[in-house]
Amino acid sequence: MNKTTLIAAAAFSLTLLAGCNVRTPLDYETGVYIAPETLQQLKSSGATQDEVVKQVGHPNSKSELSGKEVWKYDYSLITALPGAYNKNESTVFEWSKAGKLLDAYKTNGGAGANGNPLLKAAGN
């Protein structure tokens, strides 16, 4: 097999792997990833704050907005494979003053004004 064919086969294999959500040691990941299935299960069961902390850990930030307590879990994934999709999302839980789960959902971003956690870590 000649060198050009070997390079083309390797590039094609990487492209196929990128579409399969394959993780590599070179991927950059930060934050807490909460799978959509986990989010739906917590939401539909009316999970308590203690149950959420037990299952996914403590939130990146807590704030108060319009009489609600808001918990936010930021997550970023920058993949090393060309053609693979990066993720930059936040999972939000809204609680009543009594600690009852009012809503839970995902939003885009939250890792910084530019959306790139690597640039944020570098101070940009």
Side-chain angles (χ1 to χ4, degrees):
M1 197 180 291
N2 68 28
K3 194 174 187 179
T4 305
T5 305
L6 187 59
I7 291 172
F12 181 71
S13 297
L14 284 175
T15 302
L16 287 178
L17 285 175
C20 297
N21 290 330
V22 172
R23 305 295 300 275
T24 73
L26 298 176
D27 292 348
Y28 176 82
E29 182 177 31
T30 184
V32 177
Y33 176 70
I34 301 174
E37 301 80 28
T38 302
L39 179 64
Q40 186 58 40
Q41 182 267 326
L42 290 167
K43 187 176 177 178
S44 63
S45 70
T48 65
Q49 291 178 339
D50 288 338
E51 290 169 339
V52 171
V53 168
K54 184 177 180 181
Q55 190 158 353
V56 298
H58 292 280
N60 297 86
S61 67
K62 293 181 181 181
S63 60
E64 190 174 321
L65 179 66
S66 300
K68 300 177 202 172
E69 186 173 352
V70 179
W71 291 10
K72 190 165 96 171
Y73 294 84
D74 294 327
Y75 176 74
S76 294
L77 170 67
I78 298 175
T79 58
L81 292 174
Y85 292 104
N86 298 326
K87 283 189 178 187
N88 188 30
E89 66 184 24
S90 295
T91 304
V92 178
F93 291 89
E94 294 182 1
W95 306 93
S96 70
K97 289 281 188 187
K100 181 180 183 220
L101 181 60
L102 300 173
D103 201 3
Y105 50 90
K106 290 193 176 281
T107 65
N108 291 330
N114 58 22
N116 185 330
L118 294 177
L119 290 176
K120 182 179 178 189
N124 294 324

